[in-house]
Amino acid sequence: NDMLTVDIAGIKMKTPVMTASGTFGFGLEYSDFVDLNQVGAIVVKGTTLAPRAGNSGRRMAETPAGMLNSIGLENPGVEGFISRILPKLKNYQVPVIVNISGNTVEEYGELAARLDKSGVAGLEVNISCPNVKQGGIAFGTCPDSATQVVREVKARTSLPVIVKLSPNVTDVVLMAQAVEAAGADAISLINTLLGMAIDIGSWRPVLGNTVGGLSGPAVKPVAVRMVWQVAKAVKVPVIGMGGIMTAADAVEFILAGASAVAVGTANFINPYVSAEVAQGIKDYLAERGLKHVRELVGKVNC
Ligand code: DOR
């Protein structure tokens, strides 16, 4: 049965439901109880050239509206990923997409070059991390910087290049058009929305890094709106994410124009959520006599 198969910039997936970077570790952490082959694609943790310890102090806070994080890209570095983690992931059939983050345009290019022949299915260029001082969001909020990063990455790899956009901008369409013109093969959005929580006992910010990225159901309407705006404005496929907890949430993103979706924060609550969302999309299609998920993409009547 192929109701759910999708091809995003040449990445073939059994379902349109992927895991969002950073929320599913390297996949292996979940492999004892989740069948990784049921996930459309695994987008692994944000990877940098050198290993990073991440930010100090408290890094996660739950708020009634969603989750705040300021991890600061803790990861073993690209060589650590290639030598220690990737060989294990190759035991699964699932496409592996590596989220890459640099401090400079050259670092993004170097990451792309090192991963080019590693056997991964694609790259997700993270120009939207809200939790690092250099790089990160600086690239994702400036069309010219984003253009430079995407051009450099494209010049140094033949892998499909997905570019992950930030919601912390006034004009997300401008950013999307800039990265598409620079050669992005697909666009994913949204990364987390910059937020802050304050402890009213100590008068101190809750997070060690003061501010952090908000995710979960609180950001879903913002994400749906941005996916809708971007999908109308570009030709490349759009991967939608932001607060998807159920199949109904995923269908909303697809109607807004997403060709695939990613589940993030919900993985922390229910590790089986990706497979459940995929099954729910299938049921939704079957109930309506639809044959393939593509029949829903961008079909919102406005
Ligand atoms: O919310 C986020 N947290 N988005 C990113 O892109 C990176 C991550 C982190 O490591 O801080």
Side-chain angles (χ1 to χ4, degrees):
N1 196 322
D2 65 358
M3 282 175 113
L4 296 184
T5 54
V6 293
D7 181 322
I8 302 289
I11 305 171
K12 291 182 174 46
M13 310 196 293
K14 271 177 286 195
T15 90
V17 187
M18 316 161 58
T19 60
S21 178
T23 63
F24 205 65
F26 290 103
L28 301 167
E29 294 89 332
Y30 285 77
S31 63
D32 282 346
F33 39 107
V34 176
D35 178 4
L36 296 184
N37 293 320
Q38 290 191 9
V39 176
I42 295 177
V43 185
V44 300
K45 281 177 77 148
T47 300
T48 52
L49 262 189
R52 283 178 61 96
N55 290 331
S56 54
R58 187 157 168 200
R59 297 168 168 199
M60 295 254 257
E62 280 181 52
T63 80
M67 195 184 84
L68 271 175
N69 89 83
S70 61
I71 308 296
L73 294 172
E74 177 183 353
N75 80 96
V78 67
E79 293 310 326
F81 170 74
I82 291 171
S83 63
R84 297 197 299 275
I85 296 162
L86 188 56
K88 293 186 190 136
L89 279 172
K90 284 181 178 166
N91 294 324
Y92 301 89
Q93 269 75 61
V94 61
V96 174
I97 297 169
V98 185
N99 179 286
I100 58 171
S101 223
N103 290 315
T104 62
V105 170
E106 291 67 34
E107 275 186 30
Y108 279 98
E110 190 58 31
L111 282 158
R114 300 230 195 147
L115 288 159
D116 185 45
K117 297 281 182 290
S118 67
V120 303
L123 302 179
E124 181 178 63
V125 182
N126 188 353
I127 53 169
S128 46
C129 175
N131 299 325
V132 290
K133 296 233 155 44
Q134 269 189 300
I137 211 161
F139 292 107
T141 53
C142 167
D144 291 341
S145 309
T147 298
Q148 283 182 40
V149 170
V150 176
R151 279 200 189 136
E152 179 68 14
V153 167
K154 284 294 291 180
R156 300 196 62 183
T157 182
S158 50
L159 290 168
V161 172
I162 303 162
V163 180
K164 185 159 183 181
L165 298 183
S166 173
N168 305 299
V169 294
T170 46
D171 192 345
V172 72
V173 170
L174 200 69
M175 292 303 308
Q177 288 170 331
V179 302
E180 181 182 48
D185 300 297
I187 289 173
S188 59
L189 72 160
I190 60 174
N191 205 319
T192 51
L193 188 64
L194 201 57
M196 181 177 182
I198 298 170
D199 181 280
I200 62 166
S202 63
W203 301 12
R204 304 267 310 153
V206 171
L207 294 173
N209 198 45
T210 303
V211 296
L214 182 67
S215 61
V219 305
K220 196 187 85 176
V222 175
V224 170
R225 182 266 295 176
M226 289 189 162
V227 164
W228 174 69
Q229 288 182 308
V230 167
K232 281 192 302 175
V234 299
K235 291 194 177 65
V236 295
V238 170
I239 302 165
M241 72 198 80
I244 295 178
M245 311 298 280
T246 64
D249 296 330
V251 169
E252 243 187 281
F253 276 88
I254 296 166
L255 289 170
S259 298
V261 296
V263 172
T265 305
N267 287 308
F268 295 113
I269 298 160
N270 170 15
Y272 305 101
V273 62
S274 299
E276 290 172 6
V277 168
Q279 183 59 48
I281 297 171
K282 210 166 166 177
D283 295 344
Y284 179 93
L285 294 170
E287 282 159 20
R288 284 160 184 78
L290 299 169
K291 293 195 172 50
H292 197 276
V293 64
R294 75 171 74 86
E295 293 167 56
L296 291 179
V297 177
K299 289 296 167 63
V300 61
N301 290 305
C302 297

